[in-house]
């Protein structure tokens, strides 16, 4: 089996967030290579209060269902699964977190316990689907308003061109 790479960076989160995540991974690889048990599992997109307080992120998360197999988790689900993975990494001697288990590549440390929510199997980059997912959500949520607006616009154009209502 090979090592696969996923571009899970979302530019809208800002450069500091992306850098912080890379630093966490680099630090985990260094600690593991120095003989420390390291639990550094990948969590899925999670609808936390801080994320969904941003209207654009909330809309994108609500539109992710358009991009199977993407799935946004509730905070309680992510927390419970991540805790189970942490306990496994600390207690299971066969876990990749245990430095006695040699890895072919240091990044396999993040491969084994990934709870990615579909990011690793999605045909698109995370950064590429956000706007489309948000538009999909807004079109569904405001369908009646959009239809009424288009009908009003069509009536106005018709009146301007023909000089009379429909």
């Amino acid at each position: 089996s090979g090592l696969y790479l996923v571009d899970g960076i979302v530019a809208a989160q800002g450069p500091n967030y992306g850098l912080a995540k890379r630093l966490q991974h680099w630090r985990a690889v260094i600690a593991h290579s120095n003989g420390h048990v390291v639990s550094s599992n990948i969590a899925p997109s999670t609808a936390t209060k801080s994320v969904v307080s941003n209207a654009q992120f909330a809309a994108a998360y609500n539109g992710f269902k358009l991009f199977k197999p993407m799935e946004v988790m509730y905070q309680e689900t992510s927390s419970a699964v991540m805790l189970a993975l942490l306990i496994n990494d600390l207690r299971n001697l066969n876990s990749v977190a245990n430095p006695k288990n040699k890895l072919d590549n240091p990044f396999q440390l993040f491969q084994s316990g990934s709870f990615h929510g579909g990011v690793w199997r999605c045909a698109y980059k995370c950064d590429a689907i956000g706007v489309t997912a948000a538009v999909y959500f807004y079109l569904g949520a405001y369908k009646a308003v959009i239809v009424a607006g288009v009908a009003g616009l069509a009536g106005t154009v018709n009146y301007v061109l023909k000089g009379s209502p429909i």
Side-chain angles (χ1 to χ4, degrees):
S1 90
L3 182 68
Y4 302 95
L5 300 177
V6 174
D7 181 358
I9 299 293
V10 177
Q13 291 176 313
N16 292 343
Y17 182 83
L19 179 60
K21 289 299 172 188
R22 296 299 68 79
L23 288 173
Q24 285 176 346
H25 284 170
W26 296 334
R27 183 65 191 115
V29 166
I30 291 168
H32 190 265
S33 69
N34 287 335
H36 298 281
V37 173
V38 174
S39 180
S40 185
N41 298 302
I42 307 297
S45 299
T46 303
T48 62
K49 192 179 230 180
S50 65
V51 172
V52 296
S53 67
N54 179 311
Q56 285 79 21
F57 276 106
Y61 272 18
N62 281 302
F64 269 14
K65 60 180 141 252
L66 181 64
F67 297 96
K68 300 291 182 194
M70 290 294 291
E71 196 168 334
V72 177
M73 301 293 159
Y74 291 112
Q75 187 170 345
E76 298 79 10
T77 305
S78 286
S79 295
V81 173
M82 296 309 290
L83 175 61
L85 290 170
L86 172 64
I87 292 169
N88 177 70
D89 285 346
L90 297 177
R91 304 285 301 171
N92 180 359
L93 297 178
N94 295 321
S95 168
V96 295
N98 186 339
K100 292 179 182 167
N101 299 317
K102 297 299 174 204
L103 306 175
D104 293 331
N105 187 300
F107 289 113
Q108 287 176 312
L109 185 61
F110 315 110
Q111 182 180 18
S112 174
S114 174
F115 176 45
H116 54 79
V119 172
W120 289 12
R121 295 188 321 270
C122 186
Y124 309 98
K125 291 180 181 182
C126 288
D127 212 27
I129 65 174
V131 171
T132 305
V135 169
Y136 173 76
F137 167 72
Y138 286 133
L139 287 175
Y142 300 104
K143 187 181 339 183
V145 174
I146 293 169
V147 169
V150 169
L153 180 62
T156 302
V157 168
N158 188 56
Y159 182 77
V160 168
L161 294 176
K162 295 184 178 179
S164 65
I166 299 173

